[in-house]
Amino acid sequence: MNSSGSTKERILGAAEVLFAQHGFDGASLRQLTTAAGVNLAAVNYHFGSKDKLVEQVFRRRLDALNQHRLAELAKVVGQPQTTLEDVLAAYIRPALELSHDGNGSLFMRVLARAFAEHDDTLRQFLSENYGHVMRQFTAEFARLLPQLSKPELYWRIDLVTGALTHAMSGFGMIQRKSDVSEQVHREQTAQHLIRFAVAGLSHP
Amino acid sequence: MNSSGSTKERILGAAEVLFAQHGFDGASLRQLTTAAGVNLAAVNYHFGSKDKLVEQVFRRRLDALNQHRLAELAKVVGQPQTTLEDVLAAYIRPALELSHDGNGSLFMRVLARAFAEHDDTLRQFLSENYGHVMRQFTAEFARLLPQLSKPELYWRIDLVTGALTHAMSGFGMIQRKSDVSEQVHREQTAQHLIRFAVAGLSHP
DNA sequence: TGTCGGTTCAAACGATCGTTTGAGCATACG
DNA sequence: CGTATGCTCAAACGATCGTTTGAACCGACA
């Protein structure tokens, strides 16, 4: 295990797993480097510090996630009749599909943990780097739900976000026996999330 | 500040604040005892260990919270026409009212953080000590939503829990200027949460 | 007054943390 | 061949952590 890829990638992979399991402070560099099969000093050599490593763990996944989200959003808004389900699917499915490769499944727990920690540094980082994605989705929600006032809409989006974060953090906790059942479970989760979000967003 | 009450109570109060701000590992006993105005050794003398202190911080608030919840639930199920709103209010309002005294407002962030950390020890503690509360509420939901299958109901309750946890964790982050605006904000939060949860639970 | 259980105190303990260091190794280039 | 460069390694650094220790303090009671 962990015997493939460059040292940097082995560290990133092990970091994602251990951060999800024990938290950012809870996972020590000694655990981490041992699991990755690299020397203790490798983290500071390749990343500069533990904090920079945390940032890189986030960047690697979130860049791909939000790129995927925007691409899916662009697909559906180009259609003649965009529905709320379509937009929500563009928001939700890419997040759940992050768990397609084995390691990625733990990333959502890393993200959920980061959200809960309310660390201003991390929240600012998320807002600065990926705020425009949220803004695009919010604008689309506003267009599809014109009857809602701005504050009302923000409230509902916030509650939907909470439900999504919660579901994602629990997602992938159970080790699935096969890829096919994993896929089925992901599809079920997406269906439940989307229907729930539609109801929560559009109720009178 | 922190010059009133017994040593144990001063520690519990300071612990709640610092655990919410910096996490369980992030808040050190030296910070904590300094903020409480007590000696460093006082934690180990009165609580045995830091872990025991964490458990006591949880017990003190959760005992009151769940007692309050069950009392409110008993009120509404005694009525001739129990509504979904009533049951949700019995579940949600006591949690938001925990922030009535100044220190308590941070406890919900402690709880949200604990949820996100997915620590099996802590989850087992919560399940063992307060699982019966959740079971009673679930039974009431099942009674009011007979059209839903068991798995479907569990899914929706889980998503509602996510939204509640998320909203509670953000609640009380902004320091309100007065008690009255605090009260207004809590009432608005409760209203949004309840209406959102009703829509999410009862959609066809 | 003497002493005794409960509590507080400064100081130290060993462990573990993130980080730094300098030597050693490997590969590529003149 | 010599050496320059990128990387790995064991070892150590200072800081901070939770916990323990033993003396000092204090009101209550005989």
Side-chain angles (χ1 to χ4, degrees):
Chain A
M1 193 190 293
N2 283 319
S3 58
S4 64
S6 69
T7 297
K8 282 187 75 165
E9 284 166 4
R10 291 227 299 278
I11 291 174
L12 284 170
E16 204 169 68
V17 174
L18 289 177
F19 285 160
Q21 286 178 345
H22 306 111
F24 305 113
D25 289 342
S28 72
L29 291 185
R30 283 167 177 84
Q31 286 182 283
L32 205 156
T33 51
T34 300
V38 304
N39 186 267
L40 169 60
V43 169
N44 285 279
Y45 178 79
H46 285 284
F47 296 94
S49 68
K50 187 180 182 178
D51 284 341
K52 299 273 186 63
L53 170 61
V54 171
E55 187 181 310
Q56 288 298 321
V57 168
F58 273 80
R59 269 195 203 283
R60 187 173 66 149
R61 294 287 177 184
L62 288 182
D63 283 352
L65 168 60
N66 285 308
Q67 224 169 301
H68 194 175
R69 276 176 166 168
L70 289 180
E72 293 295 312
L73 181 64
K75 273 190 206 167
V76 298
V77 297
Q79 290 175 351
Q81 280 277 25
T82 311
T83 66
L84 197 55
E85 282 88 346
D86 292 335
V87 178
L88 282 168
Y91 188 70
I92 293 171
R93 288 190 193 280
L96 293 178
E97 283 166 9
L98 254 192
S99 65
H100 191 62
D101 64 7
N103 290 343
S105 64
L106 290 169
F107 175 70
M108 276 299 139
R109 291 177 62 187
V110 176
L111 191 61
R113 185 186 287 268
F115 257 92
E117 290 190 2
H118 278 105
D119 183 2
D120 284 339
T121 305
L122 209 46
R123 289 183 83 80
Q124 191 176 341
F125 165 78
L126 291 174
S127 171
E128 283 176 3
N129 290 275
Y130 308 104
H132 66 288
V133 178
M134 202 59 212
R135 247 170 276 130
Q136 270 194 249
F137 275 94
T138 301
E140 202 57 33
F141 286 137
R143 200 176 64 82
L144 292 169
L145 298 164
Q147 73 276 19
L148 298 181
S149 68
K150 279 279 171 65
E152 182 66 36
L153 179 64
Y154 291 157
W155 258 108
R156 298 189 183 193
I157 290 179
D158 196 47
L159 295 177
V160 168
T161 300
L164 301 195
T165 305
H166 184 77
M168 290 174 193
S169 73
F171 191 73
M173 285 199 67
I174 311 129
Q175 193 70 21
R176 307 276 152 196
K177 352 181 202 300
S178 66
D179 286 348
V180 46
S181 70
E182 171 78 35
Q183 201 167 337
V184 167
H185 180 238
R186 185 167 61 242
E187 183 53 32
Q188 284 184 341
T189 303
Q191 289 289 344
H192 278 106
L193 276 170
I194 291 171
R195 284 202 290 259
F196 183 86
V198 168
L201 282 178
S202 59
H203 76 267
Chain B
M1 194 188 293
N2 282 321
S3 57
S4 64
S6 69
T7 297
K8 283 188 75 166
E9 283 167 4
R10 292 226 299 276
I11 291 174
L12 284 170
E16 204 170 66
V17 174
L18 290 177
F19 286 160
Q21 286 178 346
H22 306 112
F24 305 113
D25 290 343
S28 72
L29 291 186
R30 285 169 177 82
Q31 287 181 284
L32 204 156
T33 50
T34 300
V38 303
N39 187 266
L40 169 61
V43 169
N44 284 279
Y45 177 79
H46 286 284
F47 296 93
S49 69
K50 187 180 182 178
D51 284 341
K52 300 275 187 63
L53 169 61
V54 172
E55 187 180 311
Q56 288 299 320
V57 168
F58 272 80
R59 269 195 202 284
R60 188 174 65 149
R61 295 287 177 184
L62 288 181
D63 283 353
L65 168 62
N66 285 310
Q67 223 169 301
H68 194 173
R69 275 176 166 167
L70 289 180
E72 293 295 312
L73 181 63
K75 275 189 203 169
V76 298
V77 298
Q79 290 175 352
Q81 281 276 25
T82 311
T83 66
L84 197 54
E85 283 88 345
D86 292 337
V87 177
L88 282 167
Y91 188 69
I92 292 171
R93 289 191 192 279
L96 294 178
E97 283 166 8
L98 253 193
S99 63
H100 190 61
D101 64 8
N103 291 341
S105 65
L106 290 168
F107 175 71
M108 276 299 138
R109 292 178 63 189
V110 176
L111 191 60
R113 185 187 286 270
F115 258 90
E117 289 190 3
H118 277 105
D119 183 2
D120 284 340
T121 305
L122 211 44
R123 290 183 82 80
Q124 189 176 344
F125 166 77
L126 291 175
S127 170
E128 283 177 0
N129 290 276
Y130 308 105
H132 66 286
V133 177
M134 201 60 210
R135 246 170 277 129
Q136 271 195 248
F137 275 94
T138 301
E140 202 58 32
F141 287 136
R143 199 175 66 81
L144 292 169
L145 299 163
Q147 74 275 19
L148 299 181
S149 68
K150 278 281 171 67
E152 183 66 37
L153 178 64
Y154 292 158
W155 258 109
R156 300 188 181 193
I157 290 179
D158 197 45
L159 295 178
V160 167
T161 301
L164 302 195
T165 305
H166 184 77
M168 291 176 194
S169 74
F171 191 75
M173 285 199 66
I174 312 131
Q175 193 69 21
R176 306 278 151 196
K177 348 181 204 304
S178 64
D179 285 349
V180 44
S181 69
E182 170 79 34
Q183 200 168 337
V184 167
H185 179 239
R186 183 168 62 241
E187 183 53 33
Q188 284 183 342
T189 304
Q191 289 289 343
H192 279 106
L193 275 170
I194 291 172
R195 284 202 290 257
F196 182 87
V198 168
L201 282 179
S202 60
H203 76 268

